[in-house]
Amino acid sequence: MLGDFGGGPFGIYVHVPFCATRCGYCDFNTYTAGELGTSASPQSWLAALRGELATAAEQFAALPTATPEVATIFVGGGTPSLLGGEGLAAVLDAVRDNFTLAVSVEVTTESNPESTSPEFFDRIRAAGFTRISLGMQSAAAHVLKVLDRTHTPGRAVAAAREARAAGFDHVNLDLIYGTPGERDSDLDQSLDAVLDAGVDHVSAYSLIVEDGTALARRVRRGELPAPDDDVLAARYERIDARLTAAGLSWYEVSNWAASEAAACRHNLGYWDGGDWLGAGPGAHSHVGGVRWWNIKHPARYADRVAGGGLPAAGWETLTPDERYTERVMLAVRLRTGLPLAELDTAGAAAADRVIADGLATRAGDHLVLTDGGRLLADGVVRQLLVP
């Protein structure tokens, strides 16, 4: 059922499903120790992960083309830093045991600042990690409280400095903007902290109230206002202006980097339509137009791995129309833009209208969003895809 590799860079995503507490806005596939009880642990998860990676490597070896070297690895979650330095080193060893890594492999882990330390960064740097992504969200204590974040406001900046001292050239800080109660001065405080930390990458996402989250229930009860679209747009422009002035340029609508080398190559693999294996509970994979997604619960995931075969909950083969839709949706978000030659007749006509409206421009043979177009990127995509 696997598709053959598409010829582009190949990445591996590893999902760590553990969190110390659940943030009110989060709808990711994560579990606290209390939610899992004795049904799963980091040890049982790691054993299952090793089994999944070994099975995937065996199945990939049977494809017509050779399995590419792994260009990027991204350990996400959840809270990967809860595994500690030794646990993350073991994760990377499990990948190495089953796949060949490129000499220039990019290896990223997400981390909660509160579960890091100088010793943690030293250990994972020695293990082969090359990039750190720290969840900061905000420097304002009252904003963090609304988000149910557990770290203290200054810890993210301190962790970023510790990572740089440990030898990490590439360090990212994540921001969330538009939280109910956030003021312009709070955002400025967060941006001051980010720039003071000296990181070479920033990701900034508008708050989305996801159904089923604690935050959604608070909004529904009227305890908190829903994020305001006009406020979100103004905050995005404020972020972009500050980061651009500091030498960080946007390369994807929600991501800024100090140089081409600082951009996250793993995420670029997603946006460029590459191939990747997603390992761990609930992880998604894509190889050659075939996509599958794993069983979500860690205990059931481990049981399926123990029974042999990939722990997939479902599979789908993308149709040409679906692959076209995804290509437009993702490429439009990049600063490099979407090749105009890849648009169908209706899409090309829509591109002319988008350009006439000032939402995009022709940059050589690519369609690239303008500053105003970035604020309306989803709307631009809809115009390109709906005749």
Side-chain angles (χ1 to χ4, degrees):
M1 190 174 290
L2 292 174
D4 202 8
F5 289 99
F10 173 54
I12 293 180
Y13 170 79
V14 176
H15 186 70
V16 180
F18 307 110
C19 279
T21 60
R22 182 174 297 281
C23 299
Y25 63 91
C26 179
D27 71 339
F28 293 164
N29 186 44
T30 62
Y31 306 84
T32 64
E35 290 169 337
L36 287 173
T38 59
S39 67
S41 68
Q43 293 74 29
S44 64
W45 166 83
L46 181 58
L49 176 72
R50 289 191 181 106
E52 182 186 6
L53 291 170
T55 298
E58 290 173 2
Q59 296 202 12
F60 289 164
L63 296 176
T65 58
T67 304
E69 291 183 337
V70 178
T72 63
I73 300 168
F74 195 106
V75 185
T79 310
S81 48
L82 286 179
L83 300 177
E86 292 299 326
L88 283 171
V91 169
L92 187 50
D93 284 343
V95 177
R96 283 196 186 102
D97 288 344
N98 293 283
F99 294 89
T100 300
L101 308 191
V103 173
S104 60
V105 63
E106 174 194 85
V107 187
T108 303
T109 184
E110 294 179 334
S111 298
N112 184 309
E114 293 292 344
S115 51
T116 63
S117 66
E119 294 76 20
F120 168 84
F121 291 120
D122 286 340
R123 179 66 185 94
I124 64 173
R125 185 70 190 93
F129 283 80
T130 66
R131 189 174 180 277
I132 294 291
S133 182
L134 293 161
M136 176 178 171
Q137 320 316 351
S138 176
H142 72 96
V143 174
L144 293 174
K145 185 175 181 180
V146 172
L147 295 173
D148 292 324
R149 294 290 293 181
T150 58
H151 66 265
T152 53
R155 177 58 201 152
V157 170
R161 290 174 177 157
E162 291 166 3
R164 297 300 293 266
F168 283 92
D169 293 327
H170 304 308
V171 180
N172 170 66
L173 283 171
D174 276 349
L175 291 177
I176 289 178
Y177 60 93
T179 301
E182 180 190 59
R183 302 162 299 206
D184 286 347
S185 59
D186 297 324
L187 180 60
D188 288 340
Q189 180 185 352
S190 298
L191 291 168
D192 288 342
V194 165
L195 297 175
D196 188 50
V199 297
D200 67 345
H201 191 287
V202 177
S203 300
Y205 305 102
S206 63
L207 180 67
I208 298 176
V209 180
E210 301 284 3
D211 290 341
T213 62
L215 180 62
R217 291 189 289 274
R218 295 184 68 186
V219 170
R220 187 168 59 249
R221 291 194 297 262
E223 297 174 14
L224 294 171
D228 180 272
D229 288 343
D230 290 336
V231 171
L232 293 177
R235 295 271 161 80
Y236 179 89
E237 291 176 326
R238 199 180 194 96
I239 292 167
D240 184 54
R242 287 289 305 279
L243 295 181
T244 299
L248 285 86
S249 301
W250 80 280
Y251 70 96
E252 191 273 343
V253 167
S254 298
N255 290 273
W256 291 258
S259 66
E260 184 176 347
C264 180
R265 288 195 283 127
H266 185 84
N267 286 341
L268 282 169
Y270 297 147
W271 297 319
D272 285 333
D275 292 322
W276 71 90
L277 169 67
H284 286 232
S285 302
H286 172 270
V287 174
V290 177
R291 184 161 52 204
W292 66 98
W293 48 96
N294 284 350
I295 294 168
K296 286 188 172 183
H297 195 277
R300 291 193 290 273
Y301 159 81
D303 288 343
R304 176 67 67 85
V305 172
L310 292 174
W315 300 75
E316 64 179 349
T317 299
L318 300 178
T319 66
D321 284 348
E322 289 170 335
R323 297 183 76 167
Y324 175 80
T325 295
E326 291 200 355
R327 174 62 176 155
V328 171
M329 288 175 59
L330 296 172
V332 161
R333 296 181 62 86
L334 295 172
R335 185 165 194 154
T336 51
L338 172 68
L340 288 161
E342 294 185 13
L343 290 169
D344 59 20
T345 302
D352 289 337
R353 295 193 295 272
V354 167
I355 291 169
D357 290 339
L359 299 177
T361 186
R362 283 187 178 84
D365 55 359
H366 284 62
L367 181 74
V368 177
L369 294 175
T370 60
D371 291 346
R374 278 191 278 158
L375 295 172
L376 301 168
D378 291 343
V380 171
V381 168
R382 285 193 294 272
Q383 290 191 57
L384 294 173
L385 293 175
V386 178

